[in-house]
Amino acid sequence: MSEKIIELQNLSTSFRTERGLLKAIDGVSFDVHKGEILGVVGESGCGKSVTSQTILRLYDEKYTAVYEGKVLLEGEDILQIPYKKMQDIRGRRISMVFQDALSSLNPVFTVGYQIREAIRIHQKVSKKQANKMAIEMLSLVGIPAPERRVKQYPHELSGGMRQRVMIAISLACKPRLLIADEPTTALDVTIQAQIMDLIVQLNQQLDMGVILITHDLGVVAETCSRVVVMYLGQIVEEANVEDIFDNPKHPYTLGLIQSIPRLEGDRNKELYTIKGTVPLLSQIPTGCRFAKRCPYAKERCNTQMPDLIPVSETQKVRCFRYLEGGGIRYA
Ligand SMILES: Nc1ncnc2c1ncn2[C@@H]1O[C@H](COP(=O)(O)OP(=O)(O)OP(=O)(O)O)[C@@H](O)[C@H]1O
Ligand SMILES: [Mg+2]
């Protein structure tokens, strides 16, 4: 297997609240290899963004959050290094693209200036060199007439162009790992597809690892090689993308797959939905966290928490049903 870029080991993040610590992610472990795109999926509130923000230590450790576990970046635990050193890692070795490009770009500076700054924070190059690199980055992300675009302000660009600029900024220092947290949600469908194609193309060209966080299982099917499924702060299933779709083992994974709108088939058929909603962090149930919403739950599921168990070399599942030899079926 190729080199591991990042490995999370038993990672937990708890927020400091008036009611004490609330654990938003609990014992999350996964890794990403060079050149690989790992998908992270799950409903809203499952802890996808908290996981990605924790990797970059974006929560203040004194006032906001408590971290446990390890984040190994090319073997080094970056949760333990002095906080100041994290600034070197952010942007240079790990970059992040957020959902909302418009609010992430500064309206008062040209896009060229913003890319140059991103380059110059981490590399000692002249302004002129940085400008040349900025133009190269814009052309790398598929922006036509980059020499002209570097001189423009964010409001002069369309939403899709701005998201491309954000990606150019994230890639300016050729990071080893790109974390893309819902990078296309705010864009319309054709632009979404273009941005995703771009991420795949750059992932291959630059051989970087990518963590792609998304609600959209269709996007996962087209771009990711492996997937982790999160539910209420925990991983409930991890598998190759083929197994996630053809051979899901966790009832939650199956529920997510069945909730994908399809073009073919009976259009009048009501879309499947997983009953209920993700509980609040202050109301995490004992036992399996998904039990209350699970069509297969038995008594044991309400009282005991299943472990995440390997079921093959490439697949893991957190479910008693599977471990007891039972299967799951489409509704
Ligand atoms: N700063 C914070 N303080 C307290 N709780 C927080 C904080 N940030 C997130 N949470 C809680 O942590 C849980 C996980 O949130 P997170 O943003 O990771 O969800 P998500 O999976 O990214 O959802 P979405 O798909 O909506 O982006 C939620 O219950 C959320 O309310
Ligand atoms: Mg999120």
PDB file of all heavy atoms in Angstrom, residues 14-17 22-25 41-53 59 64-65 99 181-182 213-215 230 232-233 278-282, ligand 1:
ATOM      1  N   SER A  14     -14.251  17.279  22.430  1.00  0.00           N
ATOM      2  CA  SER A  14     -15.381  17.671  23.278  1.00  0.00           C
ATOM      3  C   SER A  14     -15.411  19.181  23.380  1.00  0.00           C
ATOM      4  O   SER A  14     -14.368  19.827  23.515  1.00  0.00           O
ATOM      5  CB  SER A  14     -15.205  17.105  24.687  1.00  0.00           C
ATOM      6  OG  SER A  14     -14.987  15.717  24.626  1.00  0.00           O
ATOM      7  N   PHE A  15     -16.619  19.728  23.294  1.00  0.00           N
ATOM      8  CA  PHE A  15     -16.758  21.183  23.431  1.00  0.00           C
ATOM      9  C   PHE A  15     -17.050  21.555  24.873  1.00  0.00           C
ATOM     10  O   PHE A  15     -17.817  20.875  25.554  1.00  0.00           O
ATOM     11  CB  PHE A  15     -17.880  21.686  22.527  1.00  0.00           C
ATOM     12  CG  PHE A  15     -17.510  21.605  21.071  1.00  0.00           C
ATOM     13  CD1 PHE A  15     -18.074  20.657  20.242  1.00  0.00           C
ATOM     14  CD2 PHE A  15     -16.561  22.473  20.548  1.00  0.00           C
ATOM     15  CE1 PHE A  15     -17.704  20.580  18.898  1.00  0.00           C
ATOM     16  CE2 PHE A  15     -16.184  22.399  19.217  1.00  0.00           C
ATOM     17  CZ  PHE A  15     -16.761  21.458  18.389  1.00  0.00           C
ATOM     18  N   ARG A  16     -16.436  22.649  25.289  1.00  0.00           N
ATOM     19  CA  ARG A  16     -16.730  23.171  26.626  1.00  0.00           C
ATOM     20  C   ARG A  16     -18.032  23.945  26.541  1.00  0.00           C
ATOM     21  O   ARG A  16     -18.143  24.882  25.746  1.00  0.00           O
ATOM     22  CB  ARG A  16     -15.616  24.113  27.085  1.00  0.00           C
ATOM     23  CG  ARG A  16     -14.256  23.446  27.149  1.00  0.00           C
ATOM     24  CD  ARG A  16     -13.201  24.459  27.574  1.00  0.00           C
ATOM     25  NE  ARG A  16     -11.854  23.971  27.325  1.00  0.00           N
ATOM     26  CZ  ARG A  16     -11.174  23.200  28.173  1.00  0.00           C
ATOM     27  NH1 ARG A  16     -11.724  22.831  29.322  1.00  0.00           N
ATOM     28  NH2 ARG A  16      -9.954  22.802  27.872  1.00  0.00           N
ATOM     29  N   THR A  17     -19.026  23.544  27.290  1.00  0.00           N
ATOM     30  CA  THR A  17     -20.305  24.259  27.263  1.00  0.00           C
ATOM     31  C   THR A  17     -20.711  24.567  28.706  1.00  0.00           C
ATOM     32  O   THR A  17     -20.078  24.086  29.650  1.00  0.00           O
ATOM     33  CB  THR A  17     -21.435  23.422  26.619  1.00  0.00           C
ATOM     34  OG1 THR A  17     -21.813  22.385  27.536  1.00  0.00           O
ATOM     35  CG2 THR A  17     -21.004  22.812  25.299  1.00  0.00           C
ATOM     36  N   LEU A  22     -19.224  18.409  26.054  1.00  0.00           N
ATOM     37  CA  LEU A  22     -20.061  17.613  25.149  1.00  0.00           C
ATOM     38  C   LEU A  22     -19.167  17.041  24.060  1.00  0.00           C
ATOM     39  O   LEU A  22     -18.506  17.783  23.330  1.00  0.00           O
ATOM     40  CB  LEU A  22     -21.147  18.483  24.508  1.00  0.00           C
ATOM     41  CG  LEU A  22     -22.318  18.897  25.394  1.00  0.00           C
ATOM     42  CD1 LEU A  22     -23.307  19.734  24.587  1.00  0.00           C
ATOM     43  CD2 LEU A  22     -23.021  17.674  25.976  1.00  0.00           C
ATOM     44  N   LYS A  23     -19.172  15.720  23.964  1.00  0.00           N
ATOM     45  CA  LYS A  23     -18.278  15.054  23.015  1.00  0.00           C
ATOM     46  C   LYS A  23     -18.916  15.031  21.631  1.00  0.00           C
ATOM     47  O   LYS A  23     -19.926  14.383  21.409  1.00  0.00           O
ATOM     48  CB  LYS A  23     -18.005  13.637  23.491  1.00  0.00           C
ATOM     49  CG  LYS A  23     -16.673  13.100  23.039  1.00  0.00           C
ATOM     50  CD  LYS A  23     -16.388  11.749  23.659  1.00  0.00           C
ATOM     51  CE  LYS A  23     -15.172  11.829  24.579  1.00  0.00           C
ATOM     52  NZ  LYS A  23     -14.717  10.535  25.041  1.00  0.00           N
ATOM     53  N   ALA A  24     -18.317  15.753  20.677  1.00  0.00           N
ATOM     54  CA  ALA A  24     -18.908  15.856  19.340  1.00  0.00           C
ATOM     55  C   ALA A  24     -18.387  14.758  18.417  1.00  0.00           C
ATOM     56  O   ALA A  24     -19.100  14.299  17.533  1.00  0.00           O
ATOM     57  CB  ALA A  24     -18.627  17.219  18.737  1.00  0.00           C
ATOM     58  N   ILE A  25     -17.120  14.372  18.592  1.00  0.00           N
ATOM     59  CA  ILE A  25     -16.642  13.181  17.885  1.00  0.00           C
ATOM     60  C   ILE A  25     -15.979  12.272  18.910  1.00  0.00           C
ATOM     61  O   ILE A  25     -15.362  12.742  19.872  1.00  0.00           O
ATOM     62  CB  ILE A  25     -15.694  13.482  16.695  1.00  0.00           C
ATOM     63  CG1 ILE A  25     -14.481  14.288  17.129  1.00  0.00           C
ATOM     64  CG2 ILE A  25     -16.438  14.170  15.565  1.00  0.00           C
ATOM     65  CD1 ILE A  25     -13.378  14.308  16.065  1.00  0.00           C
ATOM     66  N   VAL A  41     -19.012  10.760   4.948  1.00  0.00           N
ATOM     67  CA  VAL A  41     -20.426  11.064   4.768  1.00  0.00           C
ATOM     68  C   VAL A  41     -21.206  10.855   6.061  1.00  0.00           C
ATOM     69  O   VAL A  41     -20.722  10.222   6.995  1.00  0.00           O
ATOM     70  CB  VAL A  41     -21.064  10.197   3.644  1.00  0.00           C
ATOM     71  CG1 VAL A  41     -20.369  10.427   2.321  1.00  0.00           C
ATOM     72  CG2 VAL A  41     -21.053   8.715   3.998  1.00  0.00           C
ATOM     73  N   GLY A  42     -22.414  11.368   6.069  1.00  0.00           N
ATOM     74  CA  GLY A  42     -23.290  11.268   7.242  1.00  0.00           C
ATOM     75  C   GLY A  42     -24.202  12.478   7.246  1.00  0.00           C
ATOM     76  O   GLY A  42     -23.880  13.497   6.628  1.00  0.00           O
ATOM     77  N   GLU A  43     -25.339  12.347   7.948  1.00  0.00           N
ATOM     78  CA  GLU A  43     -26.282  13.467   7.971  1.00  0.00           C
ATOM     79  C   GLU A  43     -25.692  14.673   8.699  1.00  0.00           C
ATOM     80  O   GLU A  43     -24.687  14.565   9.391  1.00  0.00           O
ATOM     81  CB  GLU A  43     -27.559  13.045   8.714  1.00  0.00           C
ATOM     82  CG  GLU A  43     -28.414  12.041   7.993  1.00  0.00           C
ATOM     83  CD  GLU A  43     -29.360  11.388   8.977  1.00  0.00           C
ATOM     84  OE1 GLU A  43     -28.895  10.592   9.807  1.00  0.00           O
ATOM     85  OE2 GLU A  43     -30.557  11.691   8.927  1.00  0.00           O
ATOM     86  N   SER A  44     -26.416  15.761   8.588  1.00  0.00           N
ATOM     87  CA  SER A  44     -26.029  16.987   9.274  1.00  0.00           C
ATOM     88  C   SER A  44     -25.885  16.734  10.778  1.00  0.00           C
ATOM     89  O   SER A  44     -26.728  16.069  11.376  1.00  0.00           O
ATOM     90  CB  SER A  44     -27.136  18.020   9.010  1.00  0.00           C
ATOM     91  OG  SER A  44     -26.686  19.260   9.416  1.00  0.00           O
ATOM     92  N   GLY A  45     -24.807  17.237  11.350  1.00  0.00           N
ATOM     93  CA  GLY A  45     -24.614  17.107  12.793  1.00  0.00           C
ATOM     94  C   GLY A  45     -23.882  15.836  13.211  1.00  0.00           C
ATOM     95  O   GLY A  45     -23.733  15.565  14.399  1.00  0.00           O
ATOM     96  N   CYS A  46     -23.411  15.056  12.253  1.00  0.00           N
ATOM     97  CA  CYS A  46     -22.742  13.785  12.601  1.00  0.00           C
ATOM     98  C   CYS A  46     -21.273  13.952  12.996  1.00  0.00           C
ATOM     99  O   CYS A  46     -20.637  12.998  13.421  1.00  0.00           O
ATOM    100  CB  CYS A  46     -22.866  12.796  11.458  1.00  0.00           C
ATOM    101  SG  CYS A  46     -24.507  12.060  11.435  1.00  0.00           S
ATOM    102  N   GLY A  47     -20.720  15.148  12.784  1.00  0.00           N
ATOM    103  CA  GLY A  47     -19.352  15.383  13.227  1.00  0.00           C
ATOM    104  C   GLY A  47     -18.326  15.441  12.110  1.00  0.00           C
ATOM    105  O   GLY A  47     -17.123  15.399  12.365  1.00  0.00           O
ATOM    106  N   LYS A  48     -18.788  15.595  10.892  1.00  0.00           N
ATOM    107  CA  LYS A  48     -17.854  15.639   9.758  1.00  0.00           C
ATOM    108  C   LYS A  48     -16.956  16.878   9.846  1.00  0.00           C
ATOM    109  O   LYS A  48     -15.732  16.777   9.737  1.00  0.00           O
ATOM    110  CB  LYS A  48     -18.627  15.639   8.426  1.00  0.00           C
ATOM    111  CG  LYS A  48     -19.595  14.467   8.301  1.00  0.00           C
ATOM    112  CD  LYS A  48     -20.354  14.470   6.987  1.00  0.00           C
ATOM    113  CE  LYS A  48     -21.242  15.672   6.734  1.00  0.00           C
ATOM    114  NZ  LYS A  48     -22.412  15.759   7.625  1.00  0.00           N
ATOM    115  N   SER A  49     -17.586  18.032  10.046  1.00  0.00           N
ATOM    116  CA  SER A  49     -16.776  19.261  10.098  1.00  0.00           C
ATOM    117  C   SER A  49     -15.926  19.317  11.359  1.00  0.00           C
ATOM    118  O   SER A  49     -14.784  19.781  11.317  1.00  0.00           O
ATOM    119  CB  SER A  49     -17.668  20.501  10.034  1.00  0.00           C
ATOM    120  OG  SER A  49     -18.323  20.544   8.790  1.00  0.00           O
ATOM    121  N   VAL A  50     -16.466  18.838  12.462  1.00  0.00           N
ATOM    122  CA  VAL A  50     -15.660  18.843  13.693  1.00  0.00           C
ATOM    123  C   VAL A  50     -14.403  17.987  13.475  1.00  0.00           C
ATOM    124  O   VAL A  50     -13.309  18.364  13.895  1.00  0.00           O
ATOM    125  CB  VAL A  50     -16.487  18.345  14.910  1.00  0.00           C
ATOM    126  CG1 VAL A  50     -15.595  18.150  16.126  1.00  0.00           C
ATOM    127  CG2 VAL A  50     -17.622  19.315  15.225  1.00  0.00           C
ATOM    128  N   THR A  51     -14.548  16.880  12.771  1.00  0.00           N
ATOM    129  CA  THR A  51     -13.380  16.040  12.484  1.00  0.00           C
ATOM    130  C   THR A  51     -12.345  16.823  11.677  1.00  0.00           C
ATOM    131  O   THR A  51     -11.156  16.849  12.020  1.00  0.00           O
ATOM    132  CB  THR A  51     -13.803  14.768  11.704  1.00  0.00           C
ATOM    133  OG1 THR A  51     -14.792  14.074  12.461  1.00  0.00           O
ATOM    134  CG2 THR A  51     -12.620  13.849  11.457  1.00  0.00           C
ATOM    135  N   SER A  52     -12.817  17.516  10.626  1.00  0.00           N
ATOM    136  CA  SER A  52     -11.837  18.204   9.781  1.00  0.00           C
ATOM    137  C   SER A  52     -11.220  19.402  10.505  1.00  0.00           C
ATOM    138  O   SER A  52     -10.028  19.660  10.381  1.00  0.00           O
ATOM    139  CB  SER A  52     -12.458  18.621   8.453  1.00  0.00           C
ATOM    140  OG  SER A  52     -13.545  19.461   8.664  1.00  0.00           O
ATOM    141  N   GLN A  53     -12.015  20.096  11.293  1.00  0.00           N
ATOM    142  CA  GLN A  53     -11.464  21.249  12.025  1.00  0.00           C
ATOM    143  C   GLN A  53     -10.488  20.790  13.108  1.00  0.00           C
ATOM    144  O   GLN A  53      -9.550  21.496  13.443  1.00  0.00           O
ATOM    145  CB  GLN A  53     -12.590  22.049  12.688  1.00  0.00           C
ATOM    146  CG  GLN A  53     -13.720  22.347  11.733  1.00  0.00           C
ATOM    147  CD  GLN A  53     -13.811  23.816  11.370  1.00  0.00           C
ATOM    148  OE1 GLN A  53     -12.828  24.526  11.362  1.00  0.00           O
ATOM    149  NE2 GLN A  53     -15.004  24.261  11.077  1.00  0.00           N
ATOM    150  N   TYR A  59     -10.076  24.693  16.755  1.00  0.00           N
ATOM    151  CA  TYR A  59     -10.787  25.133  17.962  1.00  0.00           C
ATOM    152  C   TYR A  59      -9.768  25.505  19.026  1.00  0.00           C
ATOM    153  O   TYR A  59      -8.791  24.785  19.239  1.00  0.00           O
ATOM    154  CB  TYR A  59     -11.688  24.028  18.507  1.00  0.00           C
ATOM    155  CG  TYR A  59     -12.691  23.521  17.511  1.00  0.00           C
ATOM    156  CD1 TYR A  59     -12.605  22.218  17.022  1.00  0.00           C
ATOM    157  CD2 TYR A  59     -13.726  24.336  17.049  1.00  0.00           C
ATOM    158  CE1 TYR A  59     -13.523  21.742  16.101  1.00  0.00           C
ATOM    159  CE2 TYR A  59     -14.647  23.871  16.124  1.00  0.00           C
ATOM    160  CZ  TYR A  59     -14.540  22.573  15.650  1.00  0.00           C
ATOM    161  OH  TYR A  59     -15.434  22.112  14.742  1.00  0.00           O
ATOM    162  N   THR A  64     -12.447  26.510  24.000  1.00  0.00           N
ATOM    163  CA  THR A  64     -13.522  25.924  23.195  1.00  0.00           C
ATOM    164  C   THR A  64     -13.604  24.410  23.258  1.00  0.00           C
ATOM    165  O   THR A  64     -14.685  23.860  23.445  1.00  0.00           O
ATOM    166  CB  THR A  64     -13.344  26.349  21.710  1.00  0.00           C
ATOM    167  OG1 THR A  64     -13.142  27.750  21.684  1.00  0.00           O
ATOM    168  CG2 THR A  64     -14.576  25.995  20.887  1.00  0.00           C
ATOM    169  N   ALA A  65     -12.483  23.749  23.100  1.00  0.00           N
ATOM    170  CA  ALA A  65     -12.576  22.297  22.921  1.00  0.00           C
ATOM    171  C   ALA A  65     -11.441  21.557  23.614  1.00  0.00           C
ATOM    172  O   ALA A  65     -10.393  22.124  23.911  1.00  0.00           O
ATOM    173  CB  ALA A  65     -12.571  21.968  21.436  1.00  0.00           C
ATOM    174  N   GLN A  99     -16.997  25.502   2.364  1.00  0.00           N
ATOM    175  CA  GLN A  99     -18.194  25.561   1.551  1.00  0.00           C
ATOM    176  C   GLN A  99     -18.402  26.920   0.909  1.00  0.00           C
ATOM    177  O   GLN A  99     -18.731  27.033  -0.259  1.00  0.00           O
ATOM    178  CB  GLN A  99     -19.360  25.237   2.485  1.00  0.00           C
ATOM    179  CG  GLN A  99     -20.700  25.348   1.878  1.00  0.00           C
ATOM    180  CD  GLN A  99     -21.742  24.897   2.893  1.00  0.00           C
ATOM    181  OE1 GLN A  99     -21.468  24.120   3.799  1.00  0.00           O
ATOM    182  NE2 GLN A  99     -22.933  25.394   2.748  1.00  0.00           N
ATOM    183  N   ASP A 181     -14.397  20.458   2.609  1.00  0.00           N
ATOM    184  CA  ASP A 181     -15.612  20.289   3.416  1.00  0.00           C
ATOM    185  C   ASP A 181     -16.789  20.870   2.643  1.00  0.00           C
ATOM    186  O   ASP A 181     -16.951  22.083   2.575  1.00  0.00           O
ATOM    187  CB  ASP A 181     -15.432  20.984   4.771  1.00  0.00           C
ATOM    188  CG  ASP A 181     -16.550  20.633   5.750  1.00  0.00           C
ATOM    189  OD1 ASP A 181     -17.579  20.051   5.323  1.00  0.00           O
ATOM    190  OD2 ASP A 181     -16.409  20.945   6.947  1.00  0.00           O
ATOM    191  N   GLU A 182     -17.585  20.017   2.050  1.00  0.00           N
ATOM    192  CA  GLU A 182     -18.723  20.436   1.221  1.00  0.00           C
ATOM    193  C   GLU A 182     -18.286  21.532   0.241  1.00  0.00           C
ATOM    194  O   GLU A 182     -18.856  22.607   0.232  1.00  0.00           O
ATOM    195  CB  GLU A 182     -19.860  20.982   2.101  1.00  0.00           C
ATOM    196  CG  GLU A 182     -20.306  20.065   3.211  1.00  0.00           C
ATOM    197  CD  GLU A 182     -21.394  19.082   2.781  1.00  0.00           C
ATOM    198  OE1 GLU A 182     -21.742  19.050   1.592  1.00  0.00           O
ATOM    199  OE2 GLU A 182     -21.848  18.336   3.658  1.00  0.00           O
ATOM    200  N   ILE A 213     -15.531  15.803   2.290  1.00  0.00           N
ATOM    201  CA  ILE A 213     -16.701  15.729   3.161  1.00  0.00           C
ATOM    202  C   ILE A 213     -17.919  16.149   2.356  1.00  0.00           C
ATOM    203  O   ILE A 213     -17.909  17.214   1.739  1.00  0.00           O
ATOM    204  CB  ILE A 213     -16.508  16.670   4.361  1.00  0.00           C
ATOM    205  CG1 ILE A 213     -15.329  16.166   5.182  1.00  0.00           C
ATOM    206  CG2 ILE A 213     -17.781  16.755   5.190  1.00  0.00           C
ATOM    207  CD1 ILE A 213     -14.958  17.059   6.323  1.00  0.00           C
ATOM    208  N   THR A 214     -18.916  15.297   2.325  1.00  0.00           N
ATOM    209  CA  THR A 214     -20.069  15.650   1.503  1.00  0.00           C
ATOM    210  C   THR A 214     -21.336  14.949   1.954  1.00  0.00           C
ATOM    211  O   THR A 214     -21.297  13.874   2.548  1.00  0.00           O
ATOM    212  CB  THR A 214     -19.803  15.337   0.017  1.00  0.00           C
ATOM    213  OG1 THR A 214     -20.965  15.630  -0.749  1.00  0.00           O
ATOM    214  CG2 THR A 214     -19.423  13.875  -0.201  1.00  0.00           C
ATOM    215  N   HIS A 215     -22.477  15.585   1.666  1.00  0.00           N
ATOM    216  CA  HIS A 215     -23.777  14.945   1.870  1.00  0.00           C
ATOM    217  C   HIS A 215     -24.124  14.083   0.671  1.00  0.00           C
ATOM    218  O   HIS A 215     -25.050  13.298   0.722  1.00  0.00           O
ATOM    219  CB  HIS A 215     -24.876  16.026   1.922  1.00  0.00           C
ATOM    220  CG  HIS A 215     -25.004  16.669   3.232  1.00  0.00           C
ATOM    221  ND1 HIS A 215     -24.464  17.897   3.505  1.00  0.00           N
ATOM    222  CD2 HIS A 215     -25.630  16.273   4.349  1.00  0.00           C
ATOM    223  CE1 HIS A 215     -24.759  18.212   4.753  1.00  0.00           C
ATOM    224  NE2 HIS A 215     -25.469  17.248   5.275  1.00  0.00           N
ATOM    225  N   MET A 230     -20.193   8.397   9.046  1.00  0.00           N
ATOM    226  CA  MET A 230     -20.244   8.828  10.444  1.00  0.00           C
ATOM    227  C   MET A 230     -21.683   8.960  10.909  1.00  0.00           C
ATOM    228  O   MET A 230     -22.547   9.411  10.165  1.00  0.00           O
ATOM    229  CB  MET A 230     -19.536  10.174  10.621  1.00  0.00           C
ATOM    230  CG  MET A 230     -18.039  10.070  10.436  1.00  0.00           C
ATOM    231  SD  MET A 230     -17.176  11.579  10.934  1.00  0.00           S
ATOM    232  CE  MET A 230     -17.366  11.535  12.723  1.00  0.00           C
ATOM    233  N   LEU A 232     -23.527  10.418  14.499  1.00  0.00           N
ATOM    234  CA  LEU A 232     -23.448  10.993  15.845  1.00  0.00           C
ATOM    235  C   LEU A 232     -22.058  10.877  16.463  1.00  0.00           C
ATOM    236  O   LEU A 232     -21.878  10.365  17.556  1.00  0.00           O
ATOM    237  CB  LEU A 232     -24.517  10.337  16.740  1.00  0.00           C
ATOM    238  CG  LEU A 232     -24.896  11.051  18.037  1.00  0.00           C
ATOM    239  CD1 LEU A 232     -25.201  12.520  17.810  1.00  0.00           C
ATOM    240  CD2 LEU A 232     -26.115  10.403  18.666  1.00  0.00           C
ATOM    241  N   GLY A 233     -21.066  11.336  15.711  1.00  0.00           N
ATOM    242  CA  GLY A 233     -19.715  11.448  16.243  1.00  0.00           C
ATOM    243  C   GLY A 233     -18.859  10.202  16.143  1.00  0.00           C
ATOM    244  O   GLY A 233     -17.701  10.215  16.548  1.00  0.00           O
ATOM    245  N   VAL A 278     -31.032  13.072  13.840  1.00  0.00           N
ATOM    246  CA  VAL A 278     -29.816  12.875  14.635  1.00  0.00           C
ATOM    247  C   VAL A 278     -30.032  13.529  16.011  1.00  0.00           C
ATOM    248  O   VAL A 278     -30.364  14.703  16.075  1.00  0.00           O
ATOM    249  CB  VAL A 278     -28.607  13.546  13.941  1.00  0.00           C
ATOM    250  CG1 VAL A 278     -27.328  13.314  14.723  1.00  0.00           C
ATOM    251  CG2 VAL A 278     -28.454  13.038  12.512  1.00  0.00           C
ATOM    252  N   PRO A 279     -29.853  12.786  17.124  1.00  0.00           N
ATOM    253  CA  PRO A 279     -30.064  13.382  18.450  1.00  0.00           C
ATOM    254  C   PRO A 279     -29.030  14.487  18.757  1.00  0.00           C
ATOM    255  O   PRO A 279     -27.989  14.571  18.107  1.00  0.00           O
ATOM    256  CB  PRO A 279     -29.863  12.220  19.422  1.00  0.00           C
ATOM    257  CG  PRO A 279     -29.861  10.982  18.604  1.00  0.00           C
ATOM    258  CD  PRO A 279     -29.466  11.375  17.214  1.00  0.00           C
ATOM    259  N   LEU A 280     -29.361  15.312  19.730  1.00  0.00           N
ATOM    260  CA  LEU A 280     -28.412  16.329  20.189  1.00  0.00           C
ATOM    261  C   LEU A 280     -27.277  15.663  20.966  1.00  0.00           C
ATOM    262  O   LEU A 280     -27.442  14.583  21.509  1.00  0.00           O
ATOM    263  CB  LEU A 280     -29.122  17.320  21.122  1.00  0.00           C
ATOM    264  CG  LEU A 280     -30.262  18.116  20.507  1.00  0.00           C
ATOM    265  CD1 LEU A 280     -30.979  18.921  21.587  1.00  0.00           C
ATOM    266  CD2 LEU A 280     -29.708  19.034  19.421  1.00  0.00           C
ATOM    267  N   LEU A 281     -26.154  16.383  21.018  1.00  0.00           N
ATOM    268  CA  LEU A 281     -24.999  15.834  21.739  1.00  0.00           C
ATOM    269  C   LEU A 281     -25.292  15.627  23.220  1.00  0.00           C
ATOM    270  O   LEU A 281     -24.713  14.765  23.868  1.00  0.00           O
ATOM    271  CB  LEU A 281     -23.799  16.774  21.608  1.00  0.00           C
ATOM    272  CG  LEU A 281     -23.201  16.922  20.220  1.00  0.00           C
ATOM    273  CD1 LEU A 281     -22.027  17.880  20.271  1.00  0.00           C
ATOM    274  CD2 LEU A 281     -22.776  15.569  19.688  1.00  0.00           C
ATOM    275  N   SER A 282     -26.217  16.447  23.738  1.00  0.00           N
ATOM    276  CA  SER A 282     -26.550  16.329  25.160  1.00  0.00           C
ATOM    277  C   SER A 282     -27.489  15.148  25.407  1.00  0.00           C
ATOM    278  O   SER A 282     -27.793  14.831  26.544  1.00  0.00           O
ATOM    279  CB  SER A 282     -27.192  17.620  25.646  1.00  0.00           C
ATOM    280  OG  SER A 282     -28.267  17.957  24.782  1.00  0.00           O
TER     281      SER A 282
HETATM  282  N1  LIG B   1     -18.189  25.145  18.416  1.00  0.00           N
HETATM  283  C1  LIG B   1     -19.084  24.227  18.809  1.00  0.00           C
HETATM  284  N2  LIG B   1     -19.570  24.219  20.065  1.00  0.00           N
HETATM  285  C2  LIG B   1     -20.459  23.277  20.486  1.00  0.00           C
HETATM  286  N3  LIG B   1     -20.948  22.296  19.685  1.00  0.00           N
HETATM  287  C3  LIG B   1     -20.525  22.278  18.413  1.00  0.00           C
HETATM  288  C4  LIG B   1     -19.584  23.232  17.902  1.00  0.00           C
HETATM  289  N4  LIG B   1     -19.330  22.950  16.603  1.00  0.00           N
HETATM  290  C5  LIG B   1     -20.095  21.872  16.322  1.00  0.00           C
HETATM  291  N5  LIG B   1     -20.795  21.468  17.385  1.00  0.00           N
HETATM  292  C6  LIG B   1     -21.713  20.309  17.459  1.00  0.00           C
HETATM  293  O1  LIG B   1     -20.998  19.163  17.052  1.00  0.00           O
HETATM  294  C7  LIG B   1     -21.850  18.279  16.323  1.00  0.00           C
HETATM  295  C8  LIG B   1     -21.210  17.942  14.992  1.00  0.00           C
HETATM  296  O2  LIG B   1     -21.215  19.108  14.172  1.00  0.00           O
HETATM  297  P1  LIG B   1     -20.561  19.163  12.740  1.00  0.00           P
HETATM  298  O3  LIG B   1     -20.542  20.588  12.347  1.00  0.00           O
HETATM  299  O4  LIG B   1     -19.275  18.438  12.741  1.00  0.00           O
HETATM  300  O5  LIG B   1     -21.596  18.364  11.854  1.00  0.00           O
HETATM  301  P2  LIG B   1     -21.476  18.025  10.306  1.00  0.00           P
HETATM  302  O6  LIG B   1     -21.479  16.554  10.198  1.00  0.00           O
HETATM  303  O7  LIG B   1     -20.359  18.777   9.702  1.00  0.00           O
HETATM  304  O8  LIG B   1     -22.881  18.588   9.784  1.00  0.00           O
HETATM  305  P3  LIG B   1     -23.216  19.365   8.409  1.00  0.00           P
HETATM  306  O9  LIG B   1     -23.443  18.265   7.429  1.00  0.00           O
HETATM  307  O10 LIG B   1     -24.478  20.079   8.748  1.00  0.00           O
HETATM  308  O11 LIG B   1     -22.091  20.271   8.066  1.00  0.00           O
HETATM  309  C9  LIG B   1     -23.210  18.981  16.210  1.00  0.00           C
HETATM  310  O12 LIG B   1     -24.060  18.473  17.195  1.00  0.00           O
HETATM  311  C10 LIG B   1     -22.856  20.415  16.473  1.00  0.00           C
HETATM  312  O13 LIG B   1     -23.956  21.082  17.050  1.00  0.00           O
END
